[in-house]
Amino acid sequence: MPSHRLLFVCLGNICRSPMAEGVFGHVAAEAGRGEYFHIESAGTGSWHVGNPPDRRAIAAAARRGIDLSGQRARRVQTQDFEKFDFILAMDASNQADLLDLASEVHAPKVQLFLHNLPNLENQDVPDPYYGGEEGFEEALNLIERGSRALLARLT
Ligand code: 4NP
């Protein structure tokens, strides 16, 4: 039975949050803790609903042995604030958009994904969508660090 329900959220749900869904699942499974987590991802925007992750995200994750190809984008829904224990925003702008949607009682569930890495100067995962392949590698590096820190916190 999952004891933690996590929703990773970015803008389009085709780059950062699908990578976070895949990487966190991989890191949790590696630690023998996969069964304790229910993990999904969603976007605050609806442009890409129903689409698979960006091919650059699929390729970058595949180079690390992580398969994102079965994921499909969806938009954040009001029920998500009930259903999930933590709603983890990839950047401060996603966090602000989520807080606009959340009721007061659910607002504490909305957190910056990288907030468990307090020594980072900037706790945003930069949006790689308009850049090159290297932006996806950088985003994945941050997402791996953030996933390990989050896993360590969720005992
Ligand atoms: P993501 O990246 O939020 O990491 O999925 C984006 C993907 C698409 C768009 C923006 C960001 N877009 O504007 O279409």
Side-chain angles (χ1 to χ4, degrees):
M1 267 287 282
S3 47
H4 299 288
R5 304 177 71 85
L6 311 180
L7 182 67
F8 296 102
V9 177
C10 61
L11 180 59
N13 193 211
I14 55 167
C15 298
R16 293 165 294 172
S17 61
M19 293 196 290
E21 178 181 341
V23 167
F24 187 88
H26 186 78
V27 164
E30 259 182 359
R33 297 177 56 200
E35 69 192 284
Y36 299 111
F37 294 94
H38 175 86
I39 310 164
E40 293 183 31
S41 68
T44 56
S46 57
W47 310 281
H48 301 283
V49 167
N51 292 345
D54 187 285
R55 58 179 174 72
R56 296 164 296 176
I58 292 176
R63 288 194 285 275
R64 300 182 190 207
I66 300 169
D67 181 13
L68 308 184
S69 64
Q71 294 188 35
R72 295 295 178 269
R74 72 167 179 88
R75 194 176 196 181
V76 174
Q77 302 173 288
T78 48
Q79 307 93 284
D80 289 328
F81 294 94
E82 289 280 349
K83 180 174 169 192
F84 289 90
D85 303 311
F86 291 102
I87 299 173
L88 298 153
M90 292 296 124
D91 68 28
S93 163
N94 307 147
Q95 186 183 29
D97 289 341
L98 286 164
L99 287 171
D100 281 344
L101 298 172
S103 66
E104 205 173 318
V105 66
H106 293 138
K109 294 181 172 184
V110 177
Q111 300 181 1
L112 261 187
F113 168 57
L114 294 183
H115 92 280
N116 298 305
L117 297 174
N119 295 329
L120 278 185
E121 208 167 295
N122 181 347
Q123 293 183 328
D124 290 344
V125 179
D127 188 347
Y129 184 64
Y130 293 105
E133 303 272 342
E134 68 287 352
F136 284 80
E137 292 298 330
E138 282 164 28
L140 270 178
N141 289 339
L142 275 171
I143 287 168
E144 269 198 35
R145 288 175 62 192
S147 293
R148 291 185 200 287
L150 178 62
L151 183 66
R153 202 184 109 211
L154 298 175
T155 49

